[in-house]
Amino acid sequence: MQSLSQDQVQELSAYWDGLMQQLQADPVQAQSCHDWLYQHYAQPERHYHQFSHLLALLRYARQYSDHLVNPLVVDAAIWFHDVIYDTRAKDNEAQSAVQARYWLNQFGTDAAITDAVVACIAATAGHRVPENEVAIPDLPLFLDFDLAILGQSAEVYQAYTQAIQAEYHWVPGILYRAGRKKLLKQFLERPRLYFTDTFFDLYEHSARRNIAHEIAQLTLFS
């Protein structure tokens, strides 16, 4: 399993087993889903959207479990949210949501849980909390988990940006830099990057600093 130590592999497996127990999934179906998920997250062209990303989010879910209304929804959303990831496609989030619904239906998961998981995954397309849908209490924190990487140390953020660029290796440099700058500027234009006060206080300042620095570097090499 790429970039994970044996202890981390065991930790990730324990998270999966815990999720399957909570969902009361049939062992055969659970194994089939496990194999399918791992096949996708192990794709060699993934450099950021892989196992280490899942593990980071699952750890956040444990660290902030007291802040969650339904940790089961968040755990399931984390496992499925990037399972479909093709940098040439425009509908990865929607397709990941479709797959989440399929597998959760296979497990016989309650429809309300399934709908909440699907909505969380779909919201990662724009990293916004929809205003015209039934509120999902844990969606803001789930989205903050996913964007927490933006507010990490300069060294961690640089490694993240290098991994993202490696996933877009097929895009000519000048086009990649232009597209990346456009995305980053859209983030900076938001009144706030993080939806919860907890993550805003932790990461808002450093995230904006990291993004501004990356834009400057992209402009320098344009």
Side-chain angles (χ1 to χ4, degrees), residues 14-195:
Y15 289 145
W16 174 255
D17 291 342
L19 176 62
M20 292 299 98
Q21 290 173 7
Q22 290 184 75
L23 293 174
Q24 298 182 328
D26 174 82
V28 174
Q29 291 177 331
Q31 186 62 50
S32 295
C33 183
H34 172 278
D35 294 345
W36 181 81
L37 283 168
Y38 274 60
Q39 179 184 359
H40 282 72
Y41 282 112
Q43 291 169 338
E45 60 269 24
R46 294 183 184 232
H47 299 271
Y48 174 72
H49 296 89
Q50 41 136 296
F51 298 115
S52 57
H53 176 55
L54 291 186
L55 185 56
L57 268 61
L58 289 165
R59 286 173 171 173
Y60 278 126
R62 296 305 175 278
Q63 183 178 354
Y64 295 97
S65 60
D66 290 345
H67 295 66
L68 296 172
V69 175
N70 195 338
L72 175 59
V73 169
V74 174
D75 279 0
I78 288 171
W79 276 99
F80 285 99
H81 81 288
D82 281 328
V83 68
I84 304 300
Y85 185 73
D86 179 357
T87 55
R88 293 174 172 82
K90 302 295 185 181
D91 61 346
N92 290 315
E93 297 85 1
Q95 292 303 315
S96 293
V98 167
Q99 294 301 324
R101 183 177 296 280
Y102 168 79
W103 284 106
L104 291 174
N105 285 342
Q106 292 297 302
F107 299 149
T109 305
D110 181 81
I113 297 292
T114 298
D115 289 345
V117 171
V118 168
C120 284
I121 296 171
T124 62
H127 279 93
R128 296 184 183 278
V129 176
E131 298 179 357
N132 59 344
E133 296 183 9
V134 176
I136 298 173
D138 296 320
L139 177 56
L141 194 52
F142 166 71
L143 292 176
D144 283 356
F145 292 165
D146 200 29
L147 290 185
I149 186 65
L150 300 180
Q152 303 306 306
S153 68
E155 294 77 16
V156 171
Y157 185 84
Q158 182 178 11
Y160 151 74
T161 62
Q162 291 172 344
I164 294 295
Q165 187 168 6
E167 292 180 339
Y168 285 87
H169 65 89
W170 57 273
V171 180
I174 190 170
L175 296 180
Y176 174 80
R177 290 189 291 273
R180 180 73 176 169
K181 282 170 59 178
K182 180 179 179 180
L183 173 64
L184 294 174
K185 288 178 179 179
Q186 289 172 348
F187 273 117
L188 286 186
E189 289 170 357
R190 296 186 180 194
R192 56 190 286 168
L193 299 173
Y194 296 100
F195 297 99

